[in-house]
Amino acid sequence: KTLRLAVSLITTLALCIVVLQSPGRSASRLTDDFAQMIGMADAIVEATVIKTEVQPAGNLPAPLTVVTLKLQKVYKGELANEEIRVEYLGGFDGMHQVISSGQPDLRVGESVLLLLASPRPGRNWRVLGGDAGQVALACDPQGRLIARRASGEFDYFVPSAQSVTGFSEVRCKTVTADRLAELLNVILKTGKPVIETADTLPALSE
């Protein structure tokens, strides 16, 4: 227990160093607002995790996990290759599983939607905002493809006859994949999380 606490404290300090030293936005979390993050992302992709490997992270005490993704769909950005590599702090260092709070957690076989920040020279892509930029895609027991944010909530507006403004706010951690695609396209087109059509794809209960 003492060793896990020490590793956690060291990793937290390492993450603070990365935030201070990194010119990019991927290691810091300025916001977990989904619409704002879509605007900030350099690329947004739907992909399958096909490989993970752990590498030393230079002078940092935490290891670096490098993930190979097979792209299924690109919502934003120019990505010429069918496969890309994403990196984040944390992973198995040979003796311990190091979990870096706020970092993504990607596993082989998973389908995900990721908001990405451009790689620095000689490095890999980073997930924007850490786990706030990760959305898991998986089927529920009814066979519906469901999207779940790893951190934070989806926050958007839909038409409502009961509201004086004509719209009501929806906040939820889980939506259908169809609703996610609709929301992404609307925000990319208008910059606003406002769905003008009738709410035929309601938020799911937790």
Side-chain angles (χ1 to χ4, degrees):
K1 184 175 181 180
T2 302
L3 179 59
R4 286 180 60 85
L5 177 60
V7 170
S8 177
L9 290 173
I10 292 172
T11 301
T12 301
L13 176 61
L15 286 173
C16 292
I17 294 172
V18 171
V19 171
L20 292 173
Q21 292 182 343
S22 173
R25 300 161 296 179
S26 56
S28 62
R29 181 175 299 183
L30 302 177
T31 178
D32 65 0
D33 182 275
F34 195 61
Q36 290 183 26
M37 292 182 66
I38 288 173
M40 294 168 60
D42 296 310
I44 301 175
V45 302
E46 183 179 321
T48 302
V49 180
I50 60 175
K51 181 182 179 182
T52 63
E53 55 184 305
V54 177
Q55 301 177 357
N59 296 325
L60 299 178
L64 192 70
T65 294
V66 178
V67 179
T68 302
L69 300 170
K70 183 174 180 59
L71 301 183
Q72 306 295 337
K73 186 172 184 178
V74 178
Y75 286 93
K76 180 181 180 181
E78 300 290 334
L79 291 91
N81 299 326
E82 293 184 359
E83 295 182 4
I84 62 171
R85 284 155 63 93
V86 170
E87 65 182 51
Y88 58 88
L89 284 176
F92 186 70
D93 65 0
M95 295 182 62
H96 308 97
Q97 181 71 26
V98 181
I99 299 174
S100 299
S101 178
Q103 290 293 295
D105 183 16
L106 301 173
R107 315 239 175 140
V108 173
E110 287 182 334
S111 294
V112 291
L113 179 117
L114 298 176
L115 280 57
L116 300 175
S118 294
R120 289 170 285 168
R123 302 297 295 271
N124 301 302
W125 290 86
R126 298 288 186 103
V127 180
L128 180 67
D131 56 1
Q134 175 183 345
V135 179
L137 301 172
C139 288
D140 68 2
Q142 288 73 45
R144 298 175 299 179
L145 186 59
I146 302 302
R148 176 182 291 272
R149 289 195 71 183
S151 178
E153 294 180 310
F154 298 105
D155 186 359
Y156 59 96
F157 294 84
V158 296
S160 172
Q162 288 73 41
S163 172
V164 295
T165 64
F167 289 88
S168 61
E169 184 180 21
V170 178
R171 296 181 64 92
C172 54
K173 196 173 184 66
T174 302
V175 296
T176 64
D178 287 341
R179 170 46 53 93
L180 174 61
E182 183 179 14
L183 184 59
L184 275 169
N185 289 323
V186 165
I187 295 174
L188 288 170
K189 182 178 180 180
T190 68
K192 300 177 181 179
V194 180
I195 295 175
E196 300 284 353
T197 57
D199 190 17
T200 58
L201 297 170
L204 303 174
S205 59
E206 293 299 314

